Amino acid sequence: MTTSIIERVFEKMLWSTRYVVLLGVIFGALSAIILFIAGSLEIYDVLLDYLAESGGHLEHEDILIGIIGAIDFYLIALVLLIFSFGTYELFISELEIARMKGDFGNILEVKNLDDLKNKIIKVIIMVLIVSFFQRILSMDFTTSMDMLAMAVSISVICIGVYFLGKHHI
């Protein structure tokens, strides 16, 4: 089956447009770096606040809220890195250097968009759980119904995580 020169040129140009995903890869990786720095600065601020308080008497809740906020930044940064790695591997080329340097197959094993989506979804769910616990720590519980609502919420999250792991999303 022969193809015309116009068809071959068009297909080559169309196939070359896949390189536009490099914008997402580059800016996703840069965003991840920014979030890792922001998370580290969050922990640094908590440390400074802890040391600045008289004798290190910073409230436990304040310490946990700051550290959990940093974990939130780190998890979102991981989503962006997974997105960057996966998008690059799906549309451009495999990351050979990562495969030669160590056993990163489980991170980089992205065969299609569904694999990438599933990896990202798992981390996003963890971000939501961490954010939930950060919010819970900053709430004031005044009634027993508040405590019951918190216990039920945590139970529902645990059940959801159990079924998420059981179905290997």
Side-chain angles (χ1 to χ4, degrees):
M1 186 144 95
T2 62
T3 56
S4 71
I5 293 174
I6 295 172
E7 186 178 353
R8 280 184 281 161
V9 168
F10 178 77
E11 287 176 358
K12 185 173 178 157
M13 286 185 345
L14 184 62
W15 181 242
S16 295
T17 60
R18 78 185 193 281
Y19 290 109
V20 77
V21 302
L22 286 175
L23 290 171
V25 170
I26 291 167
F27 287 105
L30 288 174
S31 299
I33 291 168
I34 290 168
L35 286 170
F36 277 118
I37 292 169
S40 299
L41 289 174
E42 184 86 15
I43 292 175
Y44 181 74
D45 288 343
V46 169
L47 179 63
L48 287 181
D49 289 346
Y50 180 77
L51 295 175
E53 289 292 319
S54 59
H57 288 19
L58 191 63
E59 291 291 322
H60 290 98
E61 290 83 15
D62 294 334
I63 294 171
L64 288 174
I65 288 169
I67 292 174
I68 290 173
I71 291 170
D72 217 14
F73 282 137
Y74 292 150
L75 286 172
I76 295 169
L78 289 175
V79 168
L80 291 166
L81 282 179
I82 291 168
F83 170 79
S84 295
F85 293 155
T87 303
Y88 184 85
E89 286 211 339
L90 284 175
F91 289 94
I92 308 299
S93 175
E94 283 189 352
L95 292 167
E96 294 298 329
I97 191 164
R99 295 179 194 291
M100 290 185 312
K101 295 279 183 186
D103 186 24
F104 294 103
N106 57 347
I107 295 172
L108 299 176
E109 198 60 44
V110 177
K111 295 181 180 101
N112 54 44
L113 285 174
D114 281 338
D115 284 348
L116 179 59
K117 176 192 72 168
N118 289 338
K119 287 182 183 297
I120 290 173
I121 284 173
K122 284 181 181 178
V123 182
I124 288 174
I125 289 170
M126 289 308 300
V127 167
L128 293 173
I129 291 170
V130 168
S131 295
F132 173 76
F133 283 116
Q134 184 182 25
R135 303 244 187 293
I136 288 231
L137 286 173
S138 62
M139 290 176 62
D140 291 325
F141 297 102
T142 55
T143 67
S144 58
M145 286 305 289
D146 293 339
M147 293 299 283
L148 179 62
M150 181 187 74
V152 169
S153 299
I154 292 171
S155 299
V156 168
I157 287 173
C158 291
I159 291 168
V161 168
Y162 169 78
F163 283 114
L164 185 67
K166 193 172 180 94
H167 285 72
H168 302 291
I169 287 184

